Amino acid sequence: MKVTEHIERAKGDTLFSFEIIPPKKGKSIQELYNNIDPLMEFNPPFIDVTTSREEYIYIEKEGLLERKITRMRPGTVGICAAIKHKYDVDTIPHVLCGGFTREETEYLLVDCHYLGIENVMALRGDAMKHQRYFEKTEGGHAYASDLVKQIRDLSCGQYLHETVEAGSKADFCIGVAGYPEKHLEAPSLAFDLQKLKLKVDQGADYIVTQMFFDNSKFFEFVEKAREAGIGVPIIPGIKPIAVKKHLQLLPQVFKIDLPENLVQAVDDCKDNKAVRQVGVEWCIEQSRELKEAGVPVLHYYSMGKSDNIKAIAKALF
Ligand code: FAD
């Protein structure tokens, strides 16, 4: 079922969902199942599976470093199919502009259709590690809005090089990313909201936000999005802080603010076990307020071990 249908059916109740990251190449999918199993009692209607773009690795060969290009966490669509089959839950592959040509994207979407996957999350992706700015892959898209258009066109039977009178249309429900504290490259929040509106105008059906730790940023964002004419559901994406390093890492990587009392509480922790507990408690409070405000879904970023997400879900669902 589509995410928008799940939201409609919930009739105002807040749903629980989460995002997982594919295992590194060579690891077993069982590790993923071990982290999903404890969360299934909270009946997530859908689970997102991220996609990582390609990266350079350096291999030493006869004293010289040889550069190779590889994907460390391949298999998003396969993992979606495996989880869907095992748990009978909707799964959402993240589809990226970066690292994919339009043809490769089309083939991936066709695979999704065959597998009964009805939702996709359309994202630009980040620059490769060695790049200062995102560079469009040759034959690929520059912005997520262009990718949304390709997905929407395909849903209307318009493939890249032919129009097909589709007996069985791949009618995807499309999610896109939104940034309560603006995307790190955007010159202003107003500019970023214009581009978010463009994604919706091209056919996006719902928005999932970047993580935030101060709910007032989310509420202001929703208000401004509505003023900008964005009417689709906006799902807050949240993440419990889990290690002390997050105090530096999260503002550095995502350009988001951490509230002072959260920073102090984490900084006062003796070890990461205590940090994890602070992260859970903060996230429960955040989630409670968002739920009371009537958000359609609480969507959690689960990085590997899911014990903290389980503790949060137990307090709320
Ligand atoms: P876009 O919407 O294309 O925006 C990128 C930037 O360009 C913004 O600053 C925007 O303001 C600007 N912009 C957009 N359109 C235009 C235009 N026409 N002209 C000028 N400027 C424009 N990354 C991954 O690699 N894999 C994942 O699985 C993944 N999942 C994510 C899930 C969520 C919920 C979120 C919030 C992010 C996720 N990301 C993921 C990260 C995402 O790829 C990065 O944040 C990326 O830098 C931007 O992606 P986007 O889809 O928001 O890009």
Side-chain angles (χ1 to χ4, degrees):
M1 209 198 295
K2 293 179 176 180
V3 167
T4 44
E5 287 168 344
H6 281 297
I7 292 173
E8 271 163 37
R9 276 202 182 185
K11 295 200 171 87
D13 279 352
T14 301
L15 301 167
F16 163 78
S17 76
F18 59 94
E19 172 184 298
I20 53 159
I21 301 173
K24 276 198 174 156
K25 257 192 303 217
K27 299 265 181 187
S28 156
I29 196 167
Q30 187 57 45
E31 285 180 28
L32 213 54
Y33 295 155
N34 293 345
N35 287 317
I36 294 174
D37 283 344
L39 300 178
M40 292 315 289
E41 67 175 279
F42 306 105
N43 298 318
F46 57 88
I47 299 171
D48 276 57
V49 183
T50 64
T51 294
S52 305
R53 64 174 305 177
E54 78 285 22
E55 57 188 277
Y56 285 125
I57 52 162
Y58 294 88
I59 298 162
E60 200 179 329
K61 223 174 180 183
E62 294 162 8
L64 292 172
L65 282 180
E66 206 176 296
R67 192 168 81 167
K68 298 274 180 199
I69 200 154
T70 186
R71 263 174 224 282
M72 297 307 282
R73 294 175 188 272
T76 297
V77 172
I79 290 168
C80 279
I83 296 173
K84 185 175 161 57
H85 179 70
K86 182 172 165 65
Y87 298 99
D88 191 20
V89 64
D90 281 307
T91 46
I92 308 181
H94 289 194
V95 182
L96 299 183
C97 303
F100 294 85
T101 65
R102 279 170 281 194
E103 277 76 10
E104 284 165 336
T105 298
E106 183 167 289
Y107 304 146
L108 185 148
L109 293 169
V110 169
D111 284 346
C112 287
H113 179 47
Y114 290 150
L115 289 163
I117 291 169
E118 293 180 70
N119 304 277
V120 291
M121 183 81 188
L123 299 144
R124 189 197 68 179
D126 287 315
M128 287 176 79
K129 282 186 189 133
H130 68 282
Q131 292 169 336
R132 194 166 166 78
Y133 299 106
F134 178 86
E135 283 170 28
K136 167 178 132 142
T137 297
E138 208 182 320
H141 296 296
Y143 296 109
S145 52
D146 304 324
L147 175 58
V148 171
K149 184 169 184 320
Q150 179 180 359
I151 301 167
R152 189 51 72 220
D153 284 350
L154 190 133
S155 296
C156 301
Q158 274 175 48
Y159 288 71
L160 285 176
H161 308 303
E162 61 272 271
T163 301
V164 174
E165 277 204 27
S168 163
K169 272 190 189 161
D171 182 16
F172 292 108
C173 174
I174 308 171
V176 289
Y179 301 83
E181 297 173 67
K182 87 171 182 67
H183 182 253
L184 53 100
E185 293 163 27
S188 69
L189 183 58
F191 177 94
D192 209 25
L193 278 165
Q194 273 175 26
K195 304 306 170 197
L196 182 58
K197 170 90 167 37
L198 182 61
K199 292 194 270 194
V200 175
D201 290 346
Q202 296 287 23
D205 297 291
Y206 69 98
I207 294 162
V208 183
T209 75
Q210 180 59 279
M211 69 184 78
F212 56 90
F213 293 88
D214 176 352
N215 284 349
S216 67
K217 309 247 180 194
F218 174 79
F219 295 134
E220 282 165 30
F221 172 72
V222 174
E223 206 179 305
K224 287 190 173 137
R226 299 302 180 221
E227 279 166 20
I230 296 168
V232 299
I234 302 182
I235 298 174
I238 40 183
K239 172 188 163 70
I241 283 202
V243 289
K244 217 171 219 186
K245 246 197 150 108
H246 280 157
L247 287 188
Q248 284 77 41
L249 212 65
L250 300 177
Q252 188 190 335
V253 175
F254 302 109
K255 302 283 181 288
I256 51 173
D257 280 342
L258 299 177
E260 193 47 42
N261 40 355
L262 174 61
V263 172
Q264 273 312 318
V266 171
D267 200 38
D268 289 346
C269 289
K270 288 203 174 68
D271 53 27
N272 277 336
K273 192 170 171 231
V275 173
R276 216 167 164 83
Q277 186 54 30
V278 168
V280 166
E281 285 165 17
W282 186 274
C283 202
I284 289 175
E285 285 314 306
Q286 243 195 304
S287 305
R288 207 163 263 150
E289 193 185 17
L290 290 163
K291 202 170 177 225
E292 276 164 19
V295 297
V297 184
L298 281 164
H299 185 71
Y300 295 93
Y301 294 113
S302 150
M303 310 288 285
K305 280 191 174 176
S306 59
D307 59 306
N308 51 358
I309 308 292
K310 179 172 177 161
I312 296 159
K314 217 171 179 148
L316 285 136
F317 293 95

